[in-house]
Amino acid sequence: MTDDTEDRGWLLVSVSTAGAAPALRVQVWRKLRSLGGLYLQQSVCLLPEREQTLRQVRRLLDRVRRQGGTARMLRMALTDPAEKRQIIGEFNAARDAEYAEVMERLPALREELARERERGRATYAEVEESEADLERFRSWLAKIAARDYFAAPAGALVRAAIADAETDLADFEQAALAAETGIAVPAVGSEEPV
């Protein structure tokens, strides 16, 4: 994740997979979406120029050409401040929509932890399952953050919500440990010695 404090350039990427294998079109779409490309029209997208993005776009364009498609990348500058703000706003809106989906699904994990605890089913198996679920959320967040070039506002909220889920899981783990060992373990953040 970066911000827009530095006046960096932009990459305009145009790809045509006509005449190439149908799978190539999907590969291109997936790669440009994973980079956070803002589609201006079909087969044309805009990306902020960053070293990692530039490297990945070059590799993608090389693959497209080797597989029979055509591809072009142009470096450009946005000279109109209003246009630049609008485009950055569109990038942030796209990331905020992705962050919103994480926020929409994250409460289910926390609710499940609470339900299992209420039922007296705080077990190691449940801890493992919930850790795997939480790891999927962390991975999802990392993928979004990697294409969050301009620090979309919802990113901080999602990071805080995941931290809260981590705390809930740590408390649940302590309850599972206490249930399995019969030893009361203080809640996470408690000052009592273990």
Side-chain angles (χ1 to χ4, degrees):
M1 175 174 58
T2 59
D3 61 20
D4 62 335
T5 56
E6 293 182 48
D7 193 17
R8 298 183 183 195
W10 295 83
L11 304 174
L12 185 67
V13 181
S14 174
V15 176
S16 172
T17 58
L24 182 60
R25 182 175 52 86
V26 174
Q27 292 170 3
V28 168
W29 174 78
R30 286 182 62 131
K31 184 60 175 179
L32 291 173
R33 293 289 298 158
S34 77
L35 292 172
L38 177 66
Y39 276 85
L40 303 177
Q41 62 182 11
Q42 186 176 0
S43 303
V44 178
C45 74
L46 187 64
L47 285 159
E49 184 176 342
R50 305 292 190 269
E51 184 177 323
Q52 179 69 11
T53 306
L54 184 59
R55 186 172 33 255
Q56 291 187 45
V57 168
R58 282 182 177 150
R59 286 182 193 148
L60 175 66
L61 300 185
D62 184 52
R63 182 177 1 152
V64 168
R65 291 177 187 126
R66 281 192 328 260
Q67 293 184 25
T70 57
R72 177 171 284 159
M73 176 183 66
L74 303 173
R75 288 183 161 141
M76 58 180 280
L78 297 175
T79 57
D80 181 356
E83 184 73 21
K84 183 177 178 180
R85 278 191 305 276
Q86 179 182 346
I87 286 174
I88 289 171
E90 289 178 40
F91 271 95
N92 282 346
R95 297 303 76 82
D96 280 343
E98 292 177 308
Y99 287 132
E101 191 172 348
V102 176
M103 287 295 286
E104 182 180 303
R105 295 183 185 189
L106 191 57
L109 171 64
R110 297 182 73 192
E111 290 164 6
E112 181 179 348
L113 289 171
R115 259 192 323 274
E116 295 298 332
R117 209 167 173 178
E118 288 169 6
R119 293 177 181 158
R121 293 191 344 210
T123 64
Y124 180 72
E126 289 295 332
V127 169
E128 274 191 323
E129 181 183 325
S130 296
E131 280 179 339
D133 291 342
L134 187 56
E135 188 53 40
R136 282 189 284 278
F137 280 106
R138 288 183 191 123
S139 176
W140 190 5
L141 175 61
K143 288 176 183 177
I144 298 168
R147 58 183 167 257
D148 185 3
Y149 301 105
F150 304 104
L157 297 172
V158 174
R159 285 187 290 282
I162 287 180
D164 290 344
E166 289 168 345
T167 299
D168 286 353
L169 180 56
D171 289 343
F172 185 82
E173 184 175 21
Q174 294 301 318
L177 179 62
E180 288 190 13
T181 64
I183 300 171
V185 180
V188 174
S190 159
E191 297 298 321
E192 298 176 34
V194 176

